[in-house]
Amino acid sequence: MSRPAKPTVVLVHGAFADASSYAQVVPRLIARGLDVVAPAVPNRSLIGDAAYVASVVRQIPGPVVLVGHSYGGAVITVAGTEDNVKALVYLAGYALEEGESLGELQGRFPDSDLAAALVRTPFPVEGSTENGTDVSVRPDKFPAVFAADVDVRLAEVLAVSQRPLAAEAFADAAPAAAWRTTPSWGLVASSDRTINPDVERYGYQRAGMTTVEVDSSHLVMLSHPQRVVDLIEEAVRAVSA
């Protein structure tokens, strides 16, 4: 009897970051013989971003473990309905319910320190006379709010190389919730100052996820990469059994 195909791990970054936020996780997964894909998410709208990630997933032969950090959790909640997605892993992320937006989920809980550190800037929208709005984190606030336990020199680089999130993404309602039909794991960053950790706990508990807590800033993949890898491997083992 042939063994099940080993899943490909797809790492979805969040807002105010890019795929390099997984720089400490990727080599550890590759060293364990896993195929890894870390796409660049447009960060323009939840619906559009999820459609893009879904298109990446569809082109992967065989099963996929879909991992989402922060806003990437909302993205995988929608994109994870692809047929070959066998597990979801949330890292300090948003596990939305069908019909729910980021703003609605966050609104259930007190604001984190992020709310007072955001900057809004206009950007041109092709084919429209109206500007869009990009949301980013003040660079001087970024290390403390986003990356308090990451080397300060690295945090300063990340602060000036952010990938903003369009404000539209906060209002998009999730058209699906993949965790309803897909085994899911969640990591709570208990010292998170970007997302209130209770937002993470609530979403994970509502979804009935296997959950772990790590005393970490929001960028848990950089400050505690082995804990992240351990959780991803747990999901990989579960769908490979």
Side-chain angles (χ1 to χ4, degrees), residues 88-101:
L88 304 170
V89 180
Y90 291 77
L91 306 174
Y94 294 103
L96 299 178
E97 176 61 279
E98 184 176 348
E100 185 177 52
S101 69

Side-chain angles (χ1 to χ4, degrees), residues 66-174:
L66 194 53
V67 181
H69 172 245
S70 187
Y71 166 68
V75 173
I76 71 169
T77 296
V78 180
T81 56
E82 290 298 310
D83 290 342
N84 58 332
V85 175
K86 304 305 179 184
L88 304 170
V89 180
Y90 291 77
L91 306 174
Y94 294 103
L96 299 178
E97 176 61 279
E98 184 176 348
E100 185 177 52
S101 69
L102 289 173
E104 289 170 339
L105 177 55
Q106 286 196 141
R108 297 172 183 264
F109 300 90
D111 285 342
S112 69
D113 292 347
L114 176 68
L118 293 176
V119 178
R120 291 168 176 82
T121 54
F123 68 88
V125 177
E126 185 177 359
S128 174
T129 58
E130 300 290 329
N131 284 330
T133 301
D134 260 342
V135 182
S136 57
V137 183
R138 280 178 49 182
D140 62 321
K141 297 288 188 182
F142 186 100
V145 171
F146 212 73
D149 54 359
V150 174
D151 180 89
V152 67
R153 290 165 297 185
L154 174 57
E156 288 170 350
V157 172
L158 298 173
V160 300
S161 57
Q162 297 177 50
R163 193 180 189 97
L165 180 66
E168 179 183 345
F170 291 96
D172 277 354

Side-chain angles (χ1 to χ4, degrees), residues 154-199:
L154 174 57
E156 288 170 350
V157 172
L158 298 173
V160 300
S161 57
Q162 297 177 50
R163 193 180 189 97
L165 180 66
E168 179 183 345
F170 291 96
D172 277 354
W179 48 260
R180 286 194 166 275
T181 55
T182 306
S184 304
W185 285 256
L187 184 150
V188 175
S190 61
S191 293
D192 200 335
R193 296 175 63 188
T194 297
I195 298 177
N196 183 333
D198 284 339
V199 173

